[in-house]
Amino acid sequence: MNQNKLFNRTRWQLAISYAAVMGLILSLLGFGVYKAIAHAHWVAIDRELESVAGTLHDSLEIKLQQPGRLEPIVSELLPNLRVIGVNGIKKQLPERHILSAINQSFYYIRLFDNSGNLIATAGTYPEELPPTFNSQQWQTITDSKGSIYHQISVSLHTKNHENWGYFQVGRSLQDFNDYLSTVKLILKLGLPTALILVGFSSWWLAGLAMKPIYSSYRQIQQFTADAAHELRTPLAASQATVESALLMSELDEKEAREILRTVERQNRRLTQLVADLLLLARMDSQAIADRPQLCCLNDLVSDLVEELAALAIASDLALTSSIRVQQQLNVVGDADRLYRLVANLIVNAIQYTPAGGKVTVILDCSHQEAIVQVQDTGIGMAAADLDRIFDRFYRVNSDRSRNTGGSGLGLAIAQTIARAHRGSLSARSELGQGATFLLRLPL
């Protein structure tokens, strides 16, 4: 198949198209996964900040006495509390559960008075952050070094419900960005790897998908060549006969009749060949007759043996039948086509059995199947030919030639009819030992 430019080009096109579509799908999927992961982590950070801010906010408000003033007890709640203008850092009391999040290295706290002036910081406060206050609840800010922080701002009140100032809880997004960078790296490395694997897989799958198409193409190509050759032979013979007649200056009645008989014989052969080809085409398009009916194989075998007895006698052969069942074997199908099937097998056996030989037609049944065997004592076939004898126009080169008058379609027609009736047709033979054709049909 790779040697055929048309199929090779088509295979490449299929593989590239499939890889491109899969690449687009994987890219969109990777982008969606990245966005989903980023959104999920961002929501988790927001909820975490809200939880920490809410806990500390409620704990602070009950300890604040005057607006803008930090009570000493506040240092018990906030680790590393640093009051602006004071150099010392008050000693931190033993940690409580509510402070566990603040003790992590990426959290910080800022306290502003009502005017927006920075009063104090706590936690791991980055000095590069601008000290200005923004009243927006959620903010994402960048320091002078390019580090990004996310923070939440809430208003603070004294325990007497006076406005004290503002309280901010923020955290560094370095761990968040590092995680997303890792996800990006995985996707950037994974997508090309996946595309390479998809490319090889699509090439392989395209080859698998095109194998039956290529096989059909080869069969059609071979069939077309064989059909053209078979049609050319009688046409060439007729043309030569007519040209020979035209070269004769005078034709008597005997010569004219002989020429007409030759043309008629070639025309008959041509007509039979075309009829066989049309029959095969019709059977390829429809599996069984439009109106299936019961067909008795007992009667069919008996009638065929009786009708073809004259042909066997003319070939100096013995044609017999052996009905090995007592009951009637009925199958559903087209009686005319089944008649044609078994007739082809018997005629084929007669044609290739030398004078003095024997052809036997056996009818039997097994496991809800009717079995028709056609045995002959003829020339037989080599094992290499058994796989191809049901191909259209195929003949065994040594003996099964055009000298028998056949077109090479008889066994192909028989095989097609058997398959159309959900049956099977097979052959076994040895060269010089005769042949047996075995037909199985569901009862």
Side-chain angles (χ1 to χ4, degrees):
M1 183 171 65
N2 291 333
Q3 305 302 320
N4 188 293
K5 291 184 178 180
L6 174 63
F7 279 87
N8 196 38
R9 184 171 64 253
T10 305
R11 185 179 182 182
W12 272 111
Q13 290 174 348
L14 285 174
I16 293 173
S17 300
Y18 181 77
V21 171
M22 287 302 299
L24 178 61
I25 293 174
L26 289 175
S27 299
L28 293 176
L29 182 62
F31 180 77
V33 168
Y34 175 80
K35 286 296 183 182
I37 291 174
H39 177 73
H41 278 70
W42 191 262
V43 170
I45 289 174
D46 283 352
R47 289 178 179 175
E48 193 176 280
L49 280 173
E50 282 182 331
S51 176
V52 173
T55 301
L56 293 178
H57 175 271
D58 294 343
S59 300
L60 281 173
E61 282 196 336
I62 61 176
K63 294 177 173 58
L64 298 176
Q65 302 292 335
Q66 297 179 6
R69 176 184 173 184
L70 284 175
E71 307 298 333
I73 196 172
V74 172
S75 62
E76 298 179 8
L77 292 175
L78 303 178
N80 301 328
L81 181 65
R82 182 192 297 271
V83 180
I84 301 302
V86 178
N87 294 326
I89 300 176
K90 295 187 177 182
K91 184 179 180 181
Q92 181 180 337
L93 295 178
E95 297 179 359
R96 298 164 58 190
H97 177 68
I98 61 171
L99 302 181
S100 61
I102 299 301
N103 284 333
Q104 298 182 47
S105 61
F106 40 78
Y107 274 95
Y108 65 86
I109 295 172
R110 297 199 294 184
L111 296 170
F112 296 87
D113 60 17
N114 286 318
S115 300
N117 299 314
L118 182 64
I119 296 177
T121 64
T124 308
Y125 178 70
E127 299 295 337
E128 295 81 7
L129 281 180
T132 56
F133 173 72
N134 191 318
S135 61
Q136 291 181 354
Q137 183 181 16
W138 289 103
Q139 303 165 56
T140 301
I141 56 179
T142 305
D143 64 13
S144 58
K145 293 183 178 180
S147 301
I148 303 175
Y149 301 86
H150 191 53
Q151 64 185 24
I152 182 173
S153 302
V154 293
S155 59
L156 275 177
H157 302 83
T158 66
K159 65 179 182 178
N160 296 323
H161 305 291
E162 297 180 86
N163 290 331
W164 186 93
Y166 300 95
F167 172 71
Q168 283 183 346
V169 177
R171 59 160 291 171
S172 170
L173 295 181
Q174 185 63 42
D175 61 326
F176 174 72
N177 291 332
D178 290 344
Y179 180 79
L180 290 185
S181 297
T182 302
V183 173
K184 284 181 182 178
L185 180 62
I186 293 174
L187 292 176
K188 287 179 179 179
L189 294 177
L191 183 59
T193 304
L195 285 179
I196 292 173
L197 294 176
V198 166
F200 282 110
S201 300
S202 59
W203 171 259
W204 177 66
L205 290 174
L208 286 182
M210 293 187 66
K211 272 187 177 179
I213 301 175
Y214 183 71
S215 178
S216 299
Y217 169 78
R218 291 289 297 170
Q219 288 179 354
I220 293 173
Q221 195 176 44
Q222 184 64 40
F223 174 77
T224 303
D226 292 340
H229 182 73
E230 294 293 336
L231 291 170
R232 184 176 59 185
T233 301
L235 288 174
S238 299
Q239 180 70 19
T241 302
V242 172
E243 289 178 353
S244 298
L246 291 176
L247 291 176
M248 297 180 181
S249 58
E250 294 183 2
L251 285 176
D252 56 26
E253 183 178 350
K254 182 179 179 181
E255 290 174 333
R257 287 185 176 275
E258 186 64 29
I259 291 172
L260 290 175
R261 275 194 294 268
T262 301
V263 173
E264 189 270 339
R265 185 169 59 252
Q266 297 299 332
N267 186 66
R268 191 187 312 118
R269 180 181 175 185
L270 198 58
T271 302
Q272 183 62 44
L273 178 60
V274 172
D276 289 344
L277 290 174
L278 290 175
L279 176 62
L280 283 171
R282 285 196 300 268
M283 287 190 295
D284 285 340
S285 62
Q286 60 181 45
I288 201 169
D290 296 332
R291 292 181 296 176
Q293 57 190 5
L294 282 179
C295 177
C296 179
L297 293 180
N298 305 62
D299 296 339
L300 186 146
V301 170
S302 299
D303 291 346
L304 278 171
V305 170
E306 182 179 347
E307 292 177 14
L308 296 174
L311 179 61
I313 293 172
S315 301
D316 194 17
L317 302 175
L319 175 61
T320 60
S321 63
S322 175
I323 310 297
R324 297 178 179 177
V325 291
Q326 301 298 324
Q327 73 275 21
Q328 297 287 324
L329 298 183
N330 295 314
V331 296
V332 177
D334 188 319
D336 293 335
R337 290 185 180 178
L338 290 173
Y339 183 93
R340 175 74 178 270
L341 190 164
V342 180
N344 281 3
L345 296 180
I346 297 174
V347 171
N348 187 74
I350 293 174
Q351 287 177 343
Y352 300 112
T353 300
K358 183 179 181 181
V359 176
T360 306
V361 184
I362 302 171
L363 178 62
D364 202 350
C365 70
S366 174
H367 305 295
Q368 297 300 313
E369 282 186 330
I371 301 175
V372 179
Q373 297 185 62
V374 179
Q375 299 177 347
D376 65 61
T377 59
I379 60 177
M381 292 171 286
D385 295 317
L386 289 176
D387 294 334
R388 297 195 58 195
I389 57 173
F390 296 108
D391 293 348
R392 299 173 185 182
F393 296 113
Y394 181 77
R395 296 182 182 87
V396 178
N397 294 331
S398 59
D399 293 291
R400 295 173 183 252
S401 64
R402 293 180 182 81
N403 295 331
T404 62
S407 63
L409 294 174
L411 291 179
I413 291 173
Q415 179 74 285
T416 305
I417 295 173
R419 289 175 178 172
H421 288 78
R422 296 178 293 114
S424 64
L425 179 60
S426 59
R428 58 177 182 266
S429 176
E430 291 183 13
L431 195 61
Q433 300 296 319
T436 299
F437 286 86
L438 185 64
L439 170 65
R440 295 178 179 270
L441 294 170
L443 291 173

